Amino acid sequence: MKNEHQLTKGLFLLLTLALSACTSVTIDQVKHVPSELKAGESIVVIGRRSGTDYETEPELISCIGKTLLKGDNPMNVIPEQEFVNRLYPWFEARTAPVHVWDLQRLLSFDEIAKIIDEYNVHYIVWVDGVTEKTRGGGSISCGLSPAGVSCFGFGTWDEKAEYEASVWDYRTKKLVGKVSSIADGTSYMPAIVIPIPLLAQVQSQACSAMASQLQNFFSGSPDQAN
């Protein structure tokens, strides 16, 4: 009876945490000029990298691209890895353009300009940021029991996904605006016999917010901030 009561309390705790574990998202947008993606035009979304010690997660970039391909107004998005591979080594970490005016240097090479024109690229979106653990607490211990290995305890940690996208107009060679998304969330790991992770989906929420903002950005509407 006692074990049944403990199990009921444990399930109630899990349910409470599942319902309370959430992610808050903050978005912002600055547009310098009206920007619109017309039929047949493409965009490419690329993650910022700095050697081997810093990289905007490829899965985040892939998520944004796939989300932009869906919805009421799907866009023609060139896969990041395909674009980077075809233009190797000019979009690798050590050689990628840092400023929009650096595009002029790249376009002095006819082969580079030809490949970008083949894709009919209008906008290049550079995403810079990372998802990281900000703090954690609690403890979980495991040991042998008559039923096998059992664990008991409670762990928690906070995560922040913070990203900013700079939108370059490839044709005018100008920075036309920026979009940002910040997602904060707390994940839980209660352990009653077995650890059960209840994860805050901060990166996926940041992806969704960023993609939604980019869709709005290319709607052709004038300068706005959200």
Side-chain angles (χ1 to χ4, degrees):
M1 190 69 179
K2 182 178 179 181
N3 289 339
E4 183 178 342
H5 178 65
Q6 289 179 333
L7 180 59
T8 301
K9 288 179 63 178
L11 291 174
F12 177 76
L13 174 62
L14 291 179
L15 179 61
T16 301
L17 290 174
L19 292 174
S20 62
C22 63
T23 302
S24 62
V25 180
T26 303
I27 58 177
D28 190 33
Q29 178 187 125
V30 176
K31 184 189 292 188
H32 303 308
V33 295
S35 306
E36 186 175 8
L37 196 68
K38 297 180 180 179
E41 296 178 339
S42 302
I43 70 169
V44 58
V45 183
I46 308 175
R48 278 291 177 197
R49 297 171 179 82
S50 177
T52 59
D53 59 343
Y54 177 83
E55 178 181 47
T56 302
E57 301 92 342
E59 59 269 23
L60 184 278
I61 304 302
S62 177
C63 175
I64 294 173
K66 289 177 180 178
T67 305
L68 292 175
L69 288 169
K70 304 173 184 176
D72 296 332
N73 298 298
M75 299 179 185
N76 184 26
V77 183
I78 304 164
E80 178 193 34
Q81 202 57 54
E82 176 186 330
F83 185 81
V84 171
N85 287 345
R86 283 207 65 189
L87 290 164
Y88 180 85
W90 300 109
F91 280 80
E92 298 295 315
R94 67 187 186 280
T95 55
V98 177
H99 305 288
V100 66
W101 54 82
D102 291 334
L103 287 175
Q104 296 289 0
R105 170 179 57 85
L106 290 182
L107 296 178
S108 64
F109 298 94
D110 292 339
E111 188 61 28
I112 294 177
K114 180 181 177 181
I115 292 173
I116 296 178
D117 288 341
E118 283 179 10
Y119 283 119
N120 199 17
V121 172
H122 193 160
Y123 297 101
I124 300 174
V125 181
W126 289 97
V127 180
D128 192 4
V130 69
T131 296
E132 59 185 354
K133 178 180 175 181
T134 56
R135 65 175 183 175
S139 64
I140 296 175
S141 59
C142 300
L144 291 175
S145 70
V149 177
S150 298
C151 299
F152 184 80
F154 181 79
T156 180
W157 63 96
D158 294 336
E159 287 184 298
K160 172 179 279 191
E162 185 170 4
Y163 299 93
E164 181 179 74
S166 299
V167 183
W168 294 2
D169 189 320
Y170 168 71
R171 295 176 182 175
T172 64
K173 313 301 185 290
K174 292 182 179 180
L175 172 68
V176 295
K178 293 188 177 184
V179 170
S180 66
S181 67
I182 302 173
D184 294 280
T186 302
S187 297
Y188 304 100
M189 180 81 81
I192 304 172
V193 182
I194 59 171
I196 301 176
L198 302 170
L199 303 178
Q201 304 298 322
V202 292
Q203 190 178 88
S204 63
Q205 291 294 321
C207 163
S208 298
M210 178 72 73
S212 177
Q213 285 293 95
L214 287 171
Q215 288 170 333
N216 181 62
F217 189 94
F218 294 118
S219 66
S221 56
D223 187 303
Q224 56 185 298
N226 293 316

